[in-house]
Structure formats: C-alpha cells, structure tokens
Amino acid sequence: MHSPPRGLAYALYYTVLSVIAVPVNGVAIVILSKGRCGLSRCITQYLVSMAVTDLLVIITAVLLNRIPGIYFPGSFLSITPVCSLSIALIHASRDSSVWLTVAFTFDRFVAICCQKLKTNYCTEKMAALVTGTVCALGCFKSIPWYFIHEPIYIINNVPWYCRVKDIRYTSLVWTVFDWSDRLLTPCIPFFLILLLNALTVRHILAANKARKRLRAHSNGENQSDPEMETRRKSIILLFTISGSFIFLWMMYVVQFFYDRFTKDYKIKGFTDPRFILLESANMLQLLSCCTNTFIYAVTQSKFREQLKNSVYSLVNLIVK
C-alpha cells in the first residue's frame, strides 16, 4: 500500500478521492455526533468511530502517502523513519476501520438475535469500550510494520525512502506475522461478517413469519407494523455497510492469496499486470473509506434531512 504509483490515472484518482473523502467523512462525523438521525446512541457511537477511522485512513494513506509520492517525490515524508511511521499508521487506521465494521455487525447481530444479551451489550458505554479496545489493538498490531523497512538510498547520512527488508520473505517469524496480518485484516473479518449476516437473516425470516401469523390472528394482515419497519431500516443499513465492505475488499483478498500461493513477489514496473492488480486492490480498498456516508444518505431519511439543513445553513452563512 505504501509504494506510490506513477501515471496520470493514479494521480487523478487519488486527488479526486481525497477531495471527496475528507469532507464527506467530516460531514458524517458532525451530523452523526449531533444524535439527531433517529439512531440509538449505541449505533451512533459505532458509526462515528467508523467515520473517524475512515478519515484517518484517507489522511495517512492518501494525503500523507499517495499524494506526496506522486506530486512531491523526495519530500520530507520520503525520509525513511518518517516513511516507516507513515506505513505503520496506515495499517493501524486501516485495521481499526475494518474491525469496527465487524464490531458494528456483531452489535446488530446481538440486538436482533440475542434479546437476553442485548440489554447489557447494546449500550453506548459498551460501544465506547469496544471501539477503544479495537483501536488500541489495531495500533499495537501495526508496530512491527515500522521495523520491517530499510532505506533505499543514504545521501549525506540521511536515509531516504522505504524498502521491505529481505528478511520478510526468508524469516519464519516475519512469514507468520505477514500471514496473521492478512488473515486478521481482512480475511477473518470477511468470514465473520458473512456468518453474522447469515445468522441475522435466518433469525429475521423466522421472527417475521411468526410475527405476521400473530398479527394476522389478532389485528388483521393489512395493518402496519412499526416494529418490523424499524427492524427493516436497521437491516438495510447493516447489509449495505457490510456488502460495500465485502465488495470493495474482495480484490485485496484475491491479490493476497495469489501472491502467497504463486510466491512471486517481483514487480517489474508500473505497467506490470501484477502491479496493476495490486494497485487496483488498494484503490478499491481506499474507496471503501468514503462510501459509508453515501450509504447513510441513501438509507436514512433523517440523515438526509440533517445533511440538507447543514447545507442550507452553510449557504445562508456564505450569502450573509
């Protein structure tokens, strides 16, 4: 993820992505933090945390890595210690973002399928504890990435740029770390999200059939059911976030397993098909950091209302 590509297409893509993703995530953080979107405090806590980590991914991976590497090669950010720190921060923010999506999916699974556990688990305090723990573990897990790189050049005793040490491909310890890193992000999250969503769907289908039969006997089939409507909106939000994550990370997973099973790590240049596959995976993975806000706007009417109010307020302020 840390080797900035060359070419007009890459330059335009990362420029447009940063221009869109930064304000979009900022708007999501502000609107959700107000708590006026009709969502519980627990859900709001997770969505705000996800927006914050997505914003950090864009800042570390695009604004501090891709953009400087494309437009300003040889800048201060290319010094090896700074470059190594940037790579570690990219992995920390990315891992936190991925596992917060898992945490949100699990929270909704508990809320829908585990009524006895729901009262104690689906609370704002527990959501804050979970998000804090996930972010702390993400930072801790990413520390080794700072030490796996070495300088490409040393000019006037100053190390420049970052290159992965050969020990990463020969040492058993680093091989285990590399596999565990990719399995933890995003392979295991893939499995967990699919499993939790499947269990949630099965529970909802069974509960809806039972509820329809009960209401048909008591009130008639044509009357509206507020409980099922609320559940439907919650499920739409959950499935769109989960589905977007799986779709945009799929190529990253495919690329990882392709590299590991072919054991061919050499890339001949920016036109190498392997590099194009790698960079396409990175581009889609980074795109996932700005899709959630659009999902909120499409699926949540109160979020759209708050967004319109914010835009109107901004326009009025500019006019004045």
Side-chain angles (χ1 to χ4, degrees):
M1 177 180 284
H2 52 272
S3 300
R6 300 288 187 271
L8 179 61
Y10 297 120
L12 291 175
Y13 178 84
Y14 287 113
T15 301
V16 172
L17 179 63
S18 61
V19 169
I20 295 176
V22 172
V24 158
N25 282 297
V27 167
I29 293 170
V30 172
I31 293 178
L32 291 170
S33 298
K34 293 180 179 179
R36 301 174 183 172
C37 296
L39 301 170
S40 68
R41 293 185 177 182
C42 176
I43 296 178
T44 300
Q45 176 71 43
Y46 281 112
L47 296 184
V48 170
S49 300
M50 291 162 63
V52 170
T53 52
D54 285 346
L55 179 60
L56 290 176
V57 172
I58 296 298
I59 291 174
T60 56
V62 180
L63 294 182
L64 297 181
N65 183 274
R66 286 297 197 259
I67 298 296
I70 293 173
Y71 292 101
F72 312 105
S75 66
F76 168 78
L77 295 173
S78 299
I79 297 177
T80 302
V82 179
C83 176
S84 298
L85 178 61
S86 173
I87 294 167
L89 292 175
I90 291 172
H91 283 273
S93 56
R94 184 203 63 179
D95 293 355
S96 298
S97 175
V98 169
W99 279 96
L100 283 175
T101 303
V102 177
F104 171 70
T105 304
F106 180 74
D107 177 86
R108 293 300 85 202
F109 166 76
V110 171
I112 295 170
C113 304
C114 309
Q115 295 300 313
K116 294 183 179 179
L117 184 60
K118 175 182 176 180
T119 304
N120 294 325
Y121 185 82
C122 300
T123 63
E124 184 180 13
K125 183 177 180 180
M126 180 59 71
L129 177 62
V130 171
T131 55
T133 302
V134 167
C135 292
L137 291 176
C139 293
F140 178 77
K141 171 180 168 293
S142 302
I143 291 176
W145 285 107
Y146 179 83
F147 300 98
I148 193 57
H149 295 89
E150 61 184 3
I152 298 178
Y153 308 109
I154 298 180
I155 303 174
N156 297 327
N157 294 324
V158 178
W160 288 91
Y161 300 102
C162 288
R163 175 176 58 192
V164 176
K165 296 178 181 178
D166 292 336
I167 193 175
R168 178 183 177 184
Y169 306 107
T170 58
S171 170
L172 177 61
V173 174
W174 281 107
T175 300
V176 171
F177 169 77
D178 191 41
W179 270 94
S180 62
D181 177 74
R182 297 303 179 93
L183 289 176
L184 287 172
T185 307
C187 296
I188 293 178
F190 254 61
F191 171 77
L192 291 177
I193 289 174
L194 289 174
L195 175 63
L196 292 171
N197 283 345
L199 294 175
T200 302
V201 168
R202 187 181 68 173
H203 178 86
I204 289 173
L205 292 177
N208 284 351
K209 288 181 181 179
R211 191 172 181 86
K212 285 181 179 179
R213 287 196 300 267
L214 179 62
R215 289 181 63 83
H217 288 299
S218 59
N219 300 323
E221 295 185 0
N222 295 327
Q223 293 189 10
S224 62
D225 188 345
E227 175 66 23
M228 291 183 65
E229 183 64 20
T230 301
R231 184 180 297 173
R232 184 185 68 84
K233 292 180 180 179
S234 178
I235 290 304
I236 290 175
L237 177 62
L238 169 64
F239 284 1
T240 49
I241 291 177
S242 301
S244 172
F245 168 80
I246 291 172
F247 175 75
L248 293 175
W249 277 83
M250 181 65 71
M251 186 176 291
Y252 190 86
V253 175
V254 171
Q255 182 270 329
F256 165 71
F257 283 109
Y258 174 80
D259 281 352
R260 294 312 178 272
F261 286 116
T262 60
K263 295 182 179 180
D264 182 11
Y265 304 104
K266 294 182 180 180
I267 296 178
K268 298 178 182 179
F270 296 125
T271 59
D272 189 328
R274 294 188 67 258
F275 176 82
I276 295 175
L277 174 64
L278 173 63
E279 194 58 29
S280 298
N282 288 332
M283 292 165 73
L284 289 176
Q285 177 253 120
L286 291 172
L287 179 62
S288 68
C289 294
C290 68
T291 56
N292 284 351
T293 302
F294 295 104
I295 291 173
Y296 306 151
V298 171
T299 62
Q300 302 296 308
S301 58
K302 291 188 177 181
F303 183 90
R304 292 195 299 272
E305 181 181 346
Q306 292 296 317
L307 180 60
K308 290 178 182 178
N309 293 338
S310 300
V311 172
Y312 290 152
S313 299
L314 179 61
V315 171
N316 290 334
L317 180 63
I318 294 175
V319 170
K320 291 181 181 179

